[in-house]
Amino acid sequence: MRILLALTLVSTLVLAGCGGMRDSRANPANWFGKSKSRPVATASSETVNPLIPEREDSIFRRNKAEVYEGTPVDQITDMRIERTSDGAIVRVTGLSTREGAFDVRLVPNNKDSRPVNGVLSYKLLALQPDNTPQGSAVARTVHAAEFISTQTLAEARTIIVTGGRNERRSTR
């Protein structure tokens, strides 16, 4: 009878301790694995009239919206997701086609930066000059990072970063 009572007590304590495992770092379901590279599907040609603005300007609104004119970086060579106390940092390394790429950004594919069907997707963009030499791979390497909050990570199962020729994806 003592053994049965002790076994029941121990199993009850172990089971009660498992309730906090969902948000713990010890839970393997909370970890993102290594990223994998895949080729990017070609975009379909949409009929867009560049003469029609997306929004109407008003006489009451004088500030023009900042337009970022970055182009996709040629290749995504590495993607790492590092946990922090408030969420995670997505660090991406890319390889541009020419030297001198600057103002590198991870731009979310959707406007509200929320996951769609558990997928959080970004584009790696940079301002890239046309008149510079191609140079070595070391000279063309660019880096960018983006912070993702814990609330956004809770909804995401996959993080995708897209470049010009490939994409890197990391899943839980």
Side-chain angles (χ1 to χ4, degrees):
M1 183 69 175
R2 284 186 198 164
I3 295 174
L4 182 61
L5 182 64
L7 188 62
T8 304
L9 181 64
V10 168
S11 63
T12 304
L13 290 175
V14 168
L15 186 60
C18 291
M21 278 294 282
R22 184 182 76 196
D23 298 327
S24 171
R25 288 186 182 203
N27 185 355
N30 289 339
W31 304 338
F32 281 96
K34 286 192 165 202
S35 64
K36 298 175 183 120
S37 179
R38 294 177 16 174
V40 175
T42 57
S44 63
S45 61
E46 298 178 15
T47 57
V48 177
N49 189 345
L51 299 177
I52 300 174
E54 290 185 14
R55 67 177 179 95
E56 260 185 52
D57 288 331
S58 168
I59 60 171
F60 301 111
R61 184 179 36 219
R62 295 191 181 227
N63 296 340
K64 298 283 184 184
E66 178 186 332
V67 177
Y68 178 67
E69 297 179 1
T71 57
V73 173
D74 188 42
Q75 294 178 34
I76 310 296
T77 56
D78 188 30
M79 179 176 78
R80 294 185 183 177
I81 301 169
E82 301 172 357
R83 299 281 297 182
T84 64
S85 61
D86 296 339
I89 298 174
V90 177
R91 295 181 191 268
V92 179
T93 304
L95 196 63
S96 65
T97 51
R98 301 197 163 276
E99 288 182 4
F102 62 99
D103 196 10
V104 183
R105 297 183 187 181
L106 273 174
V107 178
N109 281 342
N110 49 352
K111 293 185 183 199
D112 58 353
S113 300
R114 304 299 292 176
V116 177
N117 297 327
V119 177
L120 189 59
S121 60
Y122 292 94
K123 291 180 196 169
L124 183 63
L125 303 177
L127 297 176
Q128 303 179 49
D130 293 332
N131 56 357
T132 58
Q134 184 171 2
S136 66
V138 174
R140 295 181 290 137
T141 302
V142 293
H143 303 279
E146 181 75 21
F147 174 76
I148 302 173
S149 68
T150 305
Q151 292 81 11
T152 305
L153 274 178
E155 299 173 17
R157 302 294 299 162
T158 304
I159 297 176
I160 299 174
V161 177
T162 307
R165 289 196 294 169
N166 71 335
E167 70 180 20
R168 302 282 282 186
R169 88 176 28 222
S170 183
T171 60
R172 297 193 208 208

